[in-house]
Amino acid sequence: MVLAWIGALFIGLTLGLLGSGGSILTVPVLTYVVGQETKVAIAGSLMIVGIISVFSAIPYARQKLVQWKTVVLFGVPGMAGAVAGAWSAHFVSDAIQMLIFTVLLLVAAYFMYKPMKLQDGEHEPRAFYKIAIDGFIVGGVTGLVGVGGGFLIIPALVLLGGLSMRLAVGTSLVIIAVKSFAGFVEYLSVLKALDLTLDWSIIGIFSAIGIFGGWLGHKISSRIDQEALKKGFAIFMLLMGIFILYKNLPALLG
């Protein structure tokens, strides 16, 4: 289990150092290090990501760096999407879920290696209904494969929602929390139907270590070359995506 705790610390450190990307490691660590069933790992990831996001969002909320109107416009449809995504897990095999997860992992690696040029300033806000559709789609991905999706939400809020970067980060954390919890609640019925149970001790320990790792990462972030770190982490995610694809290829090919 030592490797599992190191993995949990790495998840929190990555979130604290880079602001996103760490939560996408939760499912692989729970699946391939802890040894959980895929759907148990996804459900546990939703709760862990939700808890860490709440604690990470508190400083932003105190500094009034959360736009609550956008939380409602993006987050409520995101919650609905997360519930729909979790419900669809009744009908999707573990291998297909991990294939979708791998695609997201590779997309996240690309954005980490070659990030969008997101600058503070005036951006033309997108129509409300389009923001809601974006929220529903990202929420659906969250519910189905258990990722927070910050690497998708932050660019959407800046480029499509017209928010500044700092406001987008704080708002994104709240959105990730609410849709993760919504997806988790629906996932309980998926686990019940499959006669699977959660390991609450793992969820509690991962959450606590992840919160500590996030705090530690934030403290040391100013001493580390962010661009080099992002590129290194992107390469790591690429290798992890190849590994996950390799592990699930036999099931995908039947």
Side-chain angles (χ1 to χ4, degrees):
M1 292 301 289
V2 173
L3 284 176
W5 307 148
I6 293 173
L9 182 63
F10 188 55
I11 290 165
L13 274 171
T14 306
L15 284 168
L17 286 168
L18 303 176
S20 65
S23 62
I24 206 168
L25 300 178
T26 309
V27 171
V29 170
L30 292 176
T31 303
Y32 299 111
V33 180
V34 179
Q36 293 186 343
E37 295 277 350
T38 298
K39 287 181 170 58
V40 173
I42 291 173
S45 174
L46 288 169
M47 176 56 76
I48 292 166
V49 169
I51 292 171
I52 294 175
S53 296
V54 165
F55 278 86
S56 300
I58 290 172
Y60 286 91
R62 285 177 175 170
Q63 296 172 40
K64 298 183 179 180
L65 289 173
V66 175
Q67 189 175 92
W68 296 103
K69 182 180 75 173
T70 303
V71 169
V72 174
L73 289 175
F74 199 102
V76 172
M79 291 172 69
V83 170
W87 174 80
S88 68
H90 283 284
F91 315 103
V92 180
S93 69
D94 290 357
I96 294 296
Q97 282 180 288
M98 292 310 289
L99 176 62
I100 296 170
F101 181 88
T102 301
V103 172
L104 287 173
L105 190 65
L106 296 177
V107 170
Y110 174 79
F111 283 135
M112 191 70 71
Y113 193 87
K114 192 176 181 180
M116 294 182 184
K117 299 299 181 183
L118 302 178
Q119 298 178 348
D120 289 341
E122 292 297 323
H123 298 279
E124 186 67 28
R126 203 174 191 192
F128 290 160
Y129 76 92
K130 291 182 179 180
I131 295 175
I133 292 172
D134 294 335
F136 183 85
I137 293 171
V138 175
V141 171
T142 294
L144 182 59
V145 296
V147 299
F151 66 96
L152 295 173
I153 297 173
I154 292 173
L157 295 182
V158 174
L159 300 176
L160 306 178
L163 275 64
S164 68
M165 266 300 295
R166 293 191 72 201
L167 196 57
V169 171
T171 304
S172 172
L173 287 167
V174 178
I175 291 170
I176 290 170
V178 296
K179 64 188 180 64
S180 294
F181 290 139
F184 173 79
V185 170
E186 179 61 28
Y187 232 99
L188 293 177
S189 65
V190 176
L191 298 183
K192 184 177 181 180
L194 296 172
D195 198 26
L196 297 170
T197 56
L198 289 165
D199 188 333
W200 284 100
S201 63
I202 290 289
I203 291 174
I205 293 171
F206 261 65
S207 299
I209 295 176
I211 291 167
F212 171 74
W215 172 83
L216 182 61
H218 180 72
K219 288 291 184 182
I220 65 175
S221 60
S222 60
R223 307 174 190 175
I224 297 176
D225 185 338
Q226 292 287 304
E227 290 306 313
L229 185 64
K230 285 182 179 181
K231 290 186 176 182
F233 186 61
I235 293 170
F236 174 74
M237 287 197 293
L238 174 62
L239 295 174
M240 180 177 289
I242 294 170
F243 170 76
I244 295 172
L245 189 61
Y246 165 76
K247 294 289 286 185
N248 289 274
L249 203 55
L252 290 168
L253 296 176

